Amino acid sequence: MTTSVPSPDTPASSPIPATAAVLVIGDEILSGRTKDQNIAVLAKFLRTHGLDLIEVRIIPDHTKTIKDTVNGLRARADLVICTGGIGPTHDDRTAASIAQAFSQPLIEHDEALAAMQAYYESRGQDLNEGRRKMATVPEGASLITNPLTIAPGFKIGNVIALAGVPSIMQAMLEGVIPYLPAGAPPRSITVRCDLPESVIAAALAQIDDHWPAVTIGSYPKDPAGDILQVDVVLTSREADSLAKACQEAEDKISALGGTPRVLES
Amino acid sequence: MTTSVPSPDTPASSPIPATAAVLVIGDEILSGRTKDQNIAVLAKFLRTHGLDLIEVRIIPDHTKTIKDTVNGLRARADLVICTGGIGPTHDDRTAASIAQAFSQPLIEHDEALAAMQAYYESRGQDLNEGRRKMATVPEGASLITNPLTIAPGFKIGNVIALAGVPSIMQAMLEGVIPYLPAGAPPRSITVRCDLPESVIAAALAQIDDHWPAVTIGSYPKDPAGDILQVDVVLTSREADSLAKACQEAEDKISALGGTPRVLES
């Protein structure tokens, strides 16, 4: 689960894709003060690397809630990515809570401390108590590099903790890649059509029945607006089923009087 | 819980605020295809009306997952707002799943059907099978009006289901207000300062200890950037504690060499 290099006898694309959950930790998202910008980035990142995102949660900076949620999610998903709560202040409770979830003590990580000491010294600043806090991780955790502001994220078991500030979270993602399970992303084909959703609904339900390996989503472009456009998105890891389901969608939309357009996405 | 008019002996502002959870239902959010735009709007809406948003979840269009998640959340929060999955196609499973969660049959709602029939007739369109599906709700549910495209949301017990398309979801919110429990929003004061988070961290932890009725969040403005600005956000329903905690924050920031600025938010 934690290796990116498949052994020679592992197929490049596993028939059972690895699953992921995202846990956003922060009072400021729940209060409406701050608009989350990390979920969409992580959803795309995980898909690109072949993981199926099965759930996202947003919870407050509350130790027991974080601990219990991490324990619930890490039992259900192959990988859990947390964002937020690893800064220097009292309301940053993610590292301590994840340590509790894994029944590990919270320790100062020597390597993190040394990197931060060098960083702050070079800026003529002290490594004060708040900054030292950002070098604490659950015992046994590996560091995730932070190329922007040095204070690292970490990985323990199948749980990865990243910063909540979007620019820093994104800069840390490079350091997450080596820990991702190997997997190929599913392929999606969009059949765009000019009929209302309700007119194609029965046809889509039939295609959905015919091709169990294909997921079919129907996404209207602003149903309240004047432009009639529905994107039928077919997704699968089975190329043959996907192609045939796509052909069936084109045929059925044409038979209903529409003009399907196939877009690769 | 479902009345907006407090009885004469109910204080206008309850000391225990009502809680809410938001459940976003949609494969397209988890796949990264669509960026959620509803969570931030709902977070602000709930706060404005005095509810504490305690959790957000994003889950796929999967019947059992929706049913189980709705049942989990409605037991823990006073109000659950769901978005998505109430359209005409096979992948719209929210109404059927919530019906299962409440052990109710899914029925065609006469009033919804009549409104939709009139709407589509006026546009010279049929009330086809897909459109009829949008008039189905769990038995016993009340309708939430959709002023844009008529197909309604609904409320059953403490669960409200709204559309996923942001413009329609927002248009439905007016119809949610009568169902909100009475409550006053907490008040927040921001003390903006020009010191790094790590320098004020110990002071904030002390203030947090001194004022248990006040929640204190610390939000740096892009820690990777050049501008040194941290917003210390103090939030409480107790005006006296809030004012004193705010004064303590100003005093401590000044004592550390900073220049605090108080902003009402």
PDB file of all heavy atoms in Angstrom, chain A residues 90-110:
ATOM      1  N   HIS A  90      -2.336  27.130  19.239  1.00  0.00           N
ATOM      2  CA  HIS A  90      -3.074  26.200  20.105  1.00  0.00           C
ATOM      3  C   HIS A  90      -4.196  25.482  19.369  1.00  0.00           C
ATOM      4  O   HIS A  90      -4.611  24.392  19.771  1.00  0.00           O
ATOM      5  CB  HIS A  90      -3.672  26.983  21.280  1.00  0.00           C
ATOM      6  CG  HIS A  90      -4.756  27.921  20.819  1.00  0.00           C
ATOM      7  ND1 HIS A  90      -4.482  29.110  20.187  1.00  0.00           N
ATOM      8  CD2 HIS A  90      -6.100  27.801  20.825  1.00  0.00           C
ATOM      9  CE1 HIS A  90      -5.617  29.706  19.845  1.00  0.00           C
ATOM     10  NE2 HIS A  90      -6.613  28.928  20.220  1.00  0.00           N
ATOM     11  N   ASP A  91      -4.720  26.122  18.293  1.00  0.00           N
ATOM     12  CA  ASP A  91      -5.835  25.507  17.571  1.00  0.00           C
ATOM     13  C   ASP A  91      -5.349  24.555  16.479  1.00  0.00           C
ATOM     14  O   ASP A  91      -6.154  24.048  15.696  1.00  0.00           O
ATOM     15  CB  ASP A  91      -6.786  26.578  17.002  1.00  0.00           C
ATOM     16  CG  ASP A  91      -6.088  27.556  16.067  1.00  0.00           C
ATOM     17  OD1 ASP A  91      -4.876  27.792  16.254  1.00  0.00           O
ATOM     18  OD2 ASP A  91      -6.738  28.095  15.153  1.00  0.00           O
ATOM     19  N   ASP A  92      -4.059  24.319  16.397  1.00  0.00           N
ATOM     20  CA  ASP A  92      -3.498  23.343  15.461  1.00  0.00           C
ATOM     21  C   ASP A  92      -3.315  22.023  16.206  1.00  0.00           C
ATOM     22  O   ASP A  92      -2.353  21.843  16.942  1.00  0.00           O
ATOM     23  CB  ASP A  92      -2.150  23.853  14.909  1.00  0.00           C
ATOM     24  CG  ASP A  92      -2.349  25.040  13.982  1.00  0.00           C
ATOM     25  OD1 ASP A  92      -3.116  24.891  13.016  1.00  0.00           O
ATOM     26  OD2 ASP A  92      -1.765  26.099  14.248  1.00  0.00           O
ATOM     27  N   ARG A  93      -4.272  21.128  16.036  1.00  0.00           N
ATOM     28  CA  ARG A  93      -4.330  19.932  16.878  1.00  0.00           C
ATOM     29  C   ARG A  93      -4.187  18.640  16.082  1.00  0.00           C
ATOM     30  O   ARG A  93      -4.391  17.554  16.617  1.00  0.00           O
ATOM     31  CB  ARG A  93      -5.659  19.918  17.642  1.00  0.00           C
ATOM     32  CG  ARG A  93      -5.815  21.151  18.528  1.00  0.00           C
ATOM     33  CD  ARG A  93      -7.067  21.128  19.383  1.00  0.00           C
ATOM     34  NE  ARG A  93      -7.060  22.309  20.240  1.00  0.00           N
ATOM     35  CZ  ARG A  93      -7.987  23.267  20.221  1.00  0.00           C
ATOM     36  NH1 ARG A  93      -9.028  23.173  19.415  1.00  0.00           N
ATOM     37  NH2 ARG A  93      -7.886  24.315  21.025  1.00  0.00           N
ATOM     38  N   THR A  94      -3.852  18.753  14.802  1.00  0.00           N
ATOM     39  CA  THR A  94      -3.852  17.568  13.945  1.00  0.00           C
ATOM     40  C   THR A  94      -2.765  16.564  14.322  1.00  0.00           C
ATOM     41  O   THR A  94      -3.037  15.355  14.439  1.00  0.00           O
ATOM     42  CB  THR A  94      -3.728  17.991  12.465  1.00  0.00           C
ATOM     43  OG1 THR A  94      -4.871  18.786  12.132  1.00  0.00           O
ATOM     44  CG2 THR A  94      -3.672  16.784  11.545  1.00  0.00           C
ATOM     45  N   ALA A  95      -1.526  17.018  14.524  1.00  0.00           N
ATOM     46  CA  ALA A  95      -0.433  16.077  14.818  1.00  0.00           C
ATOM     47  C   ALA A  95      -0.710  15.331  16.121  1.00  0.00           C
ATOM     48  O   ALA A  95      -0.596  14.096  16.184  1.00  0.00           O
ATOM     49  CB  ALA A  95       0.905  16.822  14.885  1.00  0.00           C
ATOM     50  N   ALA A  96      -1.101  16.068  17.162  1.00  0.00           N
ATOM     51  CA  ALA A  96      -1.385  15.419  18.454  1.00  0.00           C
ATOM     52  C   ALA A  96      -2.555  14.437  18.335  1.00  0.00           C
ATOM     53  O   ALA A  96      -2.536  13.353  18.932  1.00  0.00           O
ATOM     54  CB  ALA A  96      -1.679  16.482  19.513  1.00  0.00           C
ATOM     55  N   SER A  97      -3.560  14.814  17.563  1.00  0.00           N
ATOM     56  CA  SER A  97      -4.749  13.957  17.440  1.00  0.00           C
ATOM     57  C   SER A  97      -4.431  12.691  16.654  1.00  0.00           C
ATOM     58  O   SER A  97      -4.927  11.602  16.993  1.00  0.00           O
ATOM     59  CB  SER A  97      -5.874  14.724  16.742  1.00  0.00           C
ATOM     60  OG  SER A  97      -6.128  15.947  17.396  1.00  0.00           O
ATOM     61  N   ILE A  98      -3.630  12.819  15.598  1.00  0.00           N
ATOM     62  CA  ILE A  98      -3.266  11.629  14.813  1.00  0.00           C
ATOM     63  C   ILE A  98      -2.345  10.728  15.644  1.00  0.00           C
ATOM     64  O   ILE A  98      -2.443   9.500  15.584  1.00  0.00           O
ATOM     65  CB  ILE A  98      -2.635  12.025  13.456  1.00  0.00           C
ATOM     66  CG1 ILE A  98      -3.689  12.731  12.589  1.00  0.00           C
ATOM     67  CG2 ILE A  98      -2.077  10.801  12.723  1.00  0.00           C
ATOM     68  CD1 ILE A  98      -3.177  13.213  11.233  1.00  0.00           C
ATOM     69  N   ALA A  99      -1.467  11.342  16.444  1.00  0.00           N
ATOM     70  CA  ALA A  99      -0.643  10.536  17.358  1.00  0.00           C
ATOM     71  C   ALA A  99      -1.545   9.699  18.268  1.00  0.00           C
ATOM     72  O   ALA A  99      -1.338   8.493  18.449  1.00  0.00           O
ATOM     73  CB  ALA A  99       0.275  11.441  18.178  1.00  0.00           C
ATOM     74  N   GLN A 100      -2.586  10.335  18.803  1.00  0.00           N
ATOM     75  CA  GLN A 100      -3.534   9.584  19.653  1.00  0.00           C
ATOM     76  C   GLN A 100      -4.238   8.484  18.870  1.00  0.00           C
ATOM     77  O   GLN A 100      -4.444   7.372  19.378  1.00  0.00           O
ATOM     78  CB  GLN A 100      -4.586  10.526  20.235  1.00  0.00           C
ATOM     79  CG  GLN A 100      -4.071  11.407  21.366  1.00  0.00           C
ATOM     80  CD  GLN A 100      -5.202  12.179  22.047  1.00  0.00           C
ATOM     81  OE1 GLN A 100      -6.359  11.770  22.010  1.00  0.00           O
ATOM     82  NE2 GLN A 100      -4.862  13.302  22.671  1.00  0.00           N
ATOM     83  N   ALA A 101      -4.595   8.783  17.627  1.00  0.00           N
ATOM     84  CA  ALA A 101      -5.301   7.781  16.809  1.00  0.00           C
ATOM     85  C   ALA A 101      -4.430   6.540  16.628  1.00  0.00           C
ATOM     86  O   ALA A 101      -4.936   5.422  16.560  1.00  0.00           O
ATOM     87  CB  ALA A 101      -5.674   8.377  15.445  1.00  0.00           C
ATOM     88  N   PHE A 102      -3.109   6.738  16.528  1.00  0.00           N
ATOM     89  CA  PHE A 102      -2.189   5.606  16.338  1.00  0.00           C
ATOM     90  C   PHE A 102      -1.581   5.141  17.665  1.00  0.00           C
ATOM     91  O   PHE A 102      -0.657   4.317  17.664  1.00  0.00           O
ATOM     92  CB  PHE A 102      -1.076   5.992  15.360  1.00  0.00           C
ATOM     93  CG  PHE A 102      -1.497   5.948  13.906  1.00  0.00           C
ATOM     94  CD1 PHE A 102      -2.105   7.051  13.314  1.00  0.00           C
ATOM     95  CD2 PHE A 102      -1.303   4.807  13.149  1.00  0.00           C
ATOM     96  CE1 PHE A 102      -2.504   7.005  11.984  1.00  0.00           C
ATOM     97  CE2 PHE A 102      -1.695   4.754  11.813  1.00  0.00           C
ATOM     98  CZ  PHE A 102      -2.299   5.858  11.236  1.00  0.00           C
ATOM     99  N   SER A 103      -2.063   5.672  18.794  1.00  0.00           N
ATOM    100  CA  SER A 103      -1.518   5.340  20.120  1.00  0.00           C
ATOM    101  C   SER A 103      -0.001   5.507  20.167  1.00  0.00           C
ATOM    102  O   SER A 103       0.727   4.670  20.700  1.00  0.00           O
ATOM    103  CB  SER A 103      -1.903   3.905  20.512  1.00  0.00           C
ATOM    104  OG  SER A 103      -3.299   3.755  20.516  1.00  0.00           O
ATOM    105  N   GLN A 104       0.465   6.592  19.575  1.00  0.00           N
ATOM    106  CA  GLN A 104       1.893   6.898  19.578  1.00  0.00           C
ATOM    107  C   GLN A 104       2.119   8.205  20.339  1.00  0.00           C
ATOM    108  O   GLN A 104       1.249   9.084  20.306  1.00  0.00           O
ATOM    109  CB  GLN A 104       2.408   7.090  18.140  1.00  0.00           C
ATOM    110  CG  GLN A 104       2.431   5.820  17.304  1.00  0.00           C
ATOM    111  CD  GLN A 104       3.464   4.826  17.815  1.00  0.00           C
ATOM    112  OE1 GLN A 104       4.556   5.211  18.211  1.00  0.00           O
ATOM    113  NE2 GLN A 104       3.106   3.545  17.831  1.00  0.00           N
ATOM    114  N   PRO A 105       3.288   8.343  20.985  1.00  0.00           N
ATOM    115  CA  PRO A 105       3.585   9.654  21.570  1.00  0.00           C
ATOM    116  C   PRO A 105       3.882  10.679  20.479  1.00  0.00           C
ATOM    117  O   PRO A 105       4.246  10.318  19.362  1.00  0.00           O
ATOM    118  CB  PRO A 105       4.835   9.378  22.417  1.00  0.00           C
ATOM    119  CG  PRO A 105       5.456   8.166  21.822  1.00  0.00           C
ATOM    120  CD  PRO A 105       4.342   7.344  21.228  1.00  0.00           C
ATOM    121  N   LEU A 106       3.677  11.944  20.824  1.00  0.00           N
ATOM    122  CA  LEU A 106       4.041  13.041  19.923  1.00  0.00           C
ATOM    123  C   LEU A 106       5.486  13.403  20.229  1.00  0.00           C
ATOM    124  O   LEU A 106       5.825  13.685  21.381  1.00  0.00           O
ATOM    125  CB  LEU A 106       3.115  14.227  20.206  1.00  0.00           C
ATOM    126  CG  LEU A 106       3.079  15.359  19.199  1.00  0.00           C
ATOM    127  CD1 LEU A 106       2.449  14.906  17.895  1.00  0.00           C
ATOM    128  CD2 LEU A 106       2.280  16.535  19.770  1.00  0.00           C
ATOM    129  N   ILE A 107       6.358  13.378  19.225  1.00  0.00           N
ATOM    130  CA  ILE A 107       7.778  13.655  19.480  1.00  0.00           C
ATOM    131  C   ILE A 107       8.292  14.776  18.584  1.00  0.00           C
ATOM    132  O   ILE A 107       7.705  15.060  17.540  1.00  0.00           O
ATOM    133  CB  ILE A 107       8.643  12.394  19.222  1.00  0.00           C
ATOM    134  CG1 ILE A 107       8.443  11.924  17.764  1.00  0.00           C
ATOM    135  CG2 ILE A 107       8.311  11.277  20.193  1.00  0.00           C
ATOM    136  CD1 ILE A 107       9.634  11.209  17.199  1.00  0.00           C
ATOM    137  N   GLU A 108       9.383  15.411  19.017  1.00  0.00           N
ATOM    138  CA  GLU A 108      10.073  16.352  18.132  1.00  0.00           C
ATOM    139  C   GLU A 108      10.909  15.545  17.157  1.00  0.00           C
ATOM    140  O   GLU A 108      11.700  14.689  17.559  1.00  0.00           O
ATOM    141  CB  GLU A 108      10.992  17.277  18.949  1.00  0.00           C
ATOM    142  CG  GLU A 108      10.320  18.555  19.357  1.00  0.00           C
ATOM    143  CD  GLU A 108      11.292  19.577  19.950  1.00  0.00           C
ATOM    144  OE1 GLU A 108      12.470  19.244  20.200  1.00  0.00           O
ATOM    145  OE2 GLU A 108      10.859  20.713  20.180  1.00  0.00           O
ATOM    146  N   HIS A 109      10.749  15.808  15.877  1.00  0.00           N
ATOM    147  CA  HIS A 109      11.465  15.046  14.858  1.00  0.00           C
ATOM    148  C   HIS A 109      12.802  15.746  14.581  1.00  0.00           C
ATOM    149  O   HIS A 109      12.822  16.910  14.155  1.00  0.00           O
ATOM    150  CB  HIS A 109      10.610  14.977  13.596  1.00  0.00           C
ATOM    151  CG  HIS A 109      11.096  13.990  12.583  1.00  0.00           C
ATOM    152  ND1 HIS A 109      12.235  14.187  11.833  1.00  0.00           N
ATOM    153  CD2 HIS A 109      10.595  12.791  12.201  1.00  0.00           C
ATOM    154  CE1 HIS A 109      12.408  13.158  11.023  1.00  0.00           C
ATOM    155  NE2 HIS A 109      11.426  12.292  11.227  1.00  0.00           N
ATOM    156  N   ASP A 110      13.927  15.042  14.818  1.00  0.00           N
ATOM    157  CA  ASP A 110      15.256  15.661  14.724  1.00  0.00           C
ATOM    158  C   ASP A 110      15.502  16.331  13.374  1.00  0.00           C
ATOM    159  O   ASP A 110      15.985  17.459  13.293  1.00  0.00           O
ATOM    160  CB  ASP A 110      16.349  14.600  14.954  1.00  0.00           C
ATOM    161  CG  ASP A 110      16.357  14.115  16.396  1.00  0.00           C
ATOM    162  OD1 ASP A 110      15.755  14.804  17.250  1.00  0.00           O
ATOM    163  OD2 ASP A 110      16.948  13.044  16.663  1.00  0.00           O
TER     164      ASP A 110
END
